[in-house]
Amino acid sequence: MASHLLDQFAAVAPDRAFITNFDGRVLTHGGLDALSARLAHALQALGVKPGDRVAAQVEKSPETIALYIACVRAGAVWLPLNTAYTRAELSYFVEDSEPSLFVAAPGQEDKVAGVTVATLGTDGHSGSLLKLAAKQSDSFADIARGPDDLAAILYTSGTTGRSKGAMLSHENLASNARTLMQVWRFTDRDVLLHALPIYHTHGLFVATNTILMAGAEMLFLPKPDMDEMFRLMPRATVVMGVPTFYTRLLADARLTREATRHIRLFVSGSAPLLSETHRDWQLRTGHAILERYGMTETNMNTSNPYDGARVAGTVGLPLPSVDIRITDPESGKPLTQGEIGMIEVRGPNVFKGYWRQPEKTRAEFRGDGFFVTGDLGMIDEKGYVAIVGRGKDLVISGGFNVYPKEVEGEIDALPGVVESAVIGVAHPDFGEGVTAVVAKKADAALTEAGVIGALKERLAAYKLPKRVLFVEDLPRNAMGKVQKALLRETYKDLYH
Ligand code: AMP
């Protein structure tokens, strides 16, 4: 037995480019092999054993991807963390996941306590980890791992408060990458324009694993800078983005048929793509954006077809070997075709459960193995899935998930606050803008700027409310539940 995931990646001529970084540096496929071997030795030298978690909060770079591969080669579990997490947030992740090593950006070693820390910079040589790796051998015998062994844990927030670690096995990742390579027709001639973060399933697994499966190349941008996107598009064949990318590109006069001529496929996911965006994109470029649907826990579940109709406002058909059904959210009973209900998913892509949370895991799986996604949707007569809402009131701002409960908890803790409700309100740039509705004590001297300022210390920037609105009382229904639907309706034009 060898490494179940890694053994399925394509064998490619070593001098072929794997990642061409925005600064011109190139990591070849052979270079990835050598660097990940050195890093795997370095991880072992730092005490990382098979099954251990390696947590990392580092900036995007080719070396970060090499570290992910090194971690899997060493039989360990890759645990990437959003670069925006604050000290307070990190201490929870470290306590919960108990990594044997934490990799930080140089200069940020003291952000965590109680764990061995190494550093990794973005220029290809800085940080203690690369210095240690430089002294190691560039060949490494991969630690044997089977299909059900863990390859990664990605944290996904829960509506009931704390984030949960989604445990992803070698086969969860391998099966999805194999499928995506086939259905999206990736070959070793593809070049993916990659401007997504790599601590999230989209930029990490959907993009990187699929490229490795095909033996193809990626062009790395640290963020979706428009000048850079247009500069690189003539070199790329595929773009993967969140809807915000597409609305921003549409707002730019440089977006033309000519500018996108070299691209064979534009993929969108992580948040709903407006039908209007799909239509406008097709008019301007001649390309129909392919929308797909997935989540951290399940990898990708559905995709619009490569050949055949890409239907705006839908997330397409279940992927091969993925079962999808729609059930009554209360009873769990399957509904008939066309009815709206809870989306449930089963397949080799679906995660192994939440890290050290057997009860939460049990609560979200049915007896027959279906995972309850929390997304509400329907399946039309042609089998296309449409997502109609999020049962859990998740807010998706600029492609990032913001869980209202977490932000509400921080607001409620501020002096002078009675209670708060956080909702997503349609926003022209972010898709949804995090919006806080706050009931304050009569004599409290709270201001909008004051609340946002206080939250800055506690929450990553993307979770901060764009607006804070003060009310006397939050509206409640007969059961005492805050009526978020009513709040969303009241403030629906706030950003327009
Ligand atoms: P994450 O775990 O961060 O990938 O977020 C997963 C959630 O994003 C899903 O449960 C959906 O609510 C949402 N999502 C992902 N893709 C789409 C899509 N194409 N349309 C609508 N919502 C989506």
Side-chain angles (χ1 to χ4, degrees):
M1 188 171 73
S3 179
H4 182 77
L5 170 64
L6 303 177
D7 286 356
Q8 295 182 58
F9 291 156
V12 187
D15 60 345
R16 293 282 296 271
F18 165 49
I19 297 175
T20 300
N21 207 32
F22 72 102
D23 58 8
R25 288 193 295 128
V26 178
L27 180 67
T28 60
H29 282 271
L32 173 69
D33 227 35
L35 180 57
S36 62
R38 285 200 204 96
L39 284 165
H41 286 295
L43 292 176
Q44 287 186 335
L46 290 165
V48 173
K49 305 212 163 32
D52 283 1
R53 277 78 53 214
V54 174
Q57 189 192 39
V58 289
E59 296 297 334
K60 181 175 180 177
S61 75
E63 290 71 29
T64 308
I65 295 292
L67 180 59
Y68 150 54
I69 298 298
C71 180
V72 179
R73 293 185 76 172
V77 180
W78 180 237
L79 200 155
L81 293 164
N82 191 320
T83 46
Y85 285 143
T86 63
R87 228 171 255 273
E89 289 162 320
L90 287 181
S91 72
Y92 164 72
F93 293 114
V94 168
E95 260 170 49
D96 189 57
S97 65
E98 295 186 305
S100 62
L101 178 69
F102 185 93
V103 185
Q108 303 203 344
E109 295 86 331
D110 65 348
K111 255 181 126 176
V112 290
V115 55
T116 306
V117 179
T119 57
L120 180 69
T122 56
D123 56 8
H125 52 82
S126 62
S128 63
L129 202 52
L130 288 174
K131 292 198 173 75
L132 181 59
K135 296 184 211 146
Q136 313 294 324
S137 158
D138 61 9
S139 72
F140 180 88
D142 295 353
I143 300 291
R145 295 275 101 178
D148 287 333
D149 286 322
L150 295 190
I153 293 179
L154 261 54
Y155 273 86
T156 165
S157 304
T159 42
T160 45
R162 308 237 87 159
S163 280
K164 292 170 288 196
M167 300 190 288
L168 296 154
S169 71
H170 275 240
E171 177 59 6
N172 290 154
L173 303 182
S175 67
N176 217 233
R178 271 194 319 263
T179 299
L180 296 179
M181 178 183 78
Q182 284 157 11
V183 298
W184 294 343
R185 311 275 170 87
F186 272 91
T187 72
D188 63 1
R189 289 180 302 283
D190 273 308
V191 180
L192 174 70
L193 178 48
H194 189 305
L196 295 158
I198 52 171
Y199 48 75
H200 182 268
T201 186
H202 194 168
L204 183 59
F205 300 138
V206 182
T208 307
N209 284 348
T210 305
I211 288 298
L212 283 166
M213 200 57 89
E217 182 185 356
M218 301 192 275
L219 307 177
F220 256 26
L221 288 178
K223 55 181 189 324
D225 175 90
M226 288 298 121
D227 292 345
E228 288 288 273
M229 299 273 281
F230 281 108
R231 178 175 74 83
L232 294 176
M233 241 187 271
R235 269 210 60 205
T237 61
V238 180
V239 177
M240 287 184 191
V242 295
T244 319
F245 283 24
Y246 294 107
T247 50
R248 286 189 188 167
L249 286 163
L250 269 168
D252 196 303
R254 287 171 289 184
L255 185 78
T256 58
R257 266 174 198 261
E258 183 52 30
T260 59
R261 198 172 51 83
H262 199 247
I263 306 287
R264 66 171 183 87
L265 180 64
F266 289 96
V267 181
S268 177
S270 293
L273 182 79
L274 295 176
S275 299
E276 185 190 334
T277 310
H278 190 279
R279 204 176 43 240
D280 291 351
W281 190 270
Q282 192 152 22
L283 284 174
R284 279 273 282 287
T285 68
H287 293 277
I289 297 173
L290 179 152
E291 186 172 7
R292 83 336 175 249
Y293 158 62
M295 59 198 303
T296 301
E297 290 95 325
T298 63
N299 297 286
M300 299 304 103
N301 298 313
T302 72
S303 171
N304 271 279
Y306 193 84
D307 295 321
R310 298 180 192 165
V311 181
T314 81
V315 292
L317 305 157
L319 288 166
S321 74
V322 176
D323 296 324
I324 298 228
R325 70 182 179 196
I326 308 290
T327 60
D328 180 308
E330 302 299 321
S331 70
K333 290 212 178 72
L335 297 176
T336 53
Q337 186 267 310
E339 283 187 287
I340 291 172
M342 179 62 68
I343 302 177
E344 297 189 5
V345 186
R346 185 175 64 185
N349 52 314
V350 176
F351 75 137
K352 297 286 155 198
Y354 293 113
W355 171 254
R356 291 185 181 164
Q357 305 237 33
E359 258 135 61
K360 289 221 166 83
T361 303
R362 259 194 304 280
E364 301 201 17
F365 277 92
R366 304 287 183 203
D368 56 1
F370 274 86
F371 172 64
V372 182
T373 62
D375 290 314
L376 301 176
M378 58 163 286
I379 303 181
D380 73 12
E381 68 285 358
K382 294 201 171 102
Y384 283 68
V385 178
I387 298 174
V388 297
R390 293 183 297 275
K392 299 173 185 166
D393 282 326
L394 176 73
V395 181
I396 302 186
S397 184
F400 290 112
N401 290 353
V402 181
Y403 290 84
K405 188 106 185 167
E406 185 186 14
V407 185
E408 288 161 8
E410 296 293 348
I411 297 175
D412 293 352
L414 299 175
V417 171
V418 178
E419 60 173 349
S420 64
V422 167
I423 53 170
V425 174
H427 189 290
D429 200 18
F430 292 94
E432 287 182 321
V434 178
T435 306
V437 184
V438 176
K440 61 174 178 176
K441 292 186 185 131
D443 56 350
L446 280 175
T447 62
E448 179 165 23
V451 171
I452 295 173
L455 294 178
K456 270 191 186 144
E457 305 285 313
R458 305 284 309 162
L459 295 170
Y462 70 89
K463 298 179 188 170
L464 294 175
K466 304 250 176 298
R467 292 291 315 270
V468 176
L469 308 153
F470 294 101
V471 293
E472 259 180 55
D473 294 300
L474 295 178
R476 289 178 184 279
N477 70 9
M479 303 299 291
K481 289 193 208 298
V482 174
Q483 293 174 293
K484 288 201 166 176
L486 186 64
L487 289 175
R488 283 189 209 107
E489 177 59 27
T490 309
Y491 297 111
K492 67 179 191 301
D493 296 320
L494 192 61
Y495 301 107
H496 286 280

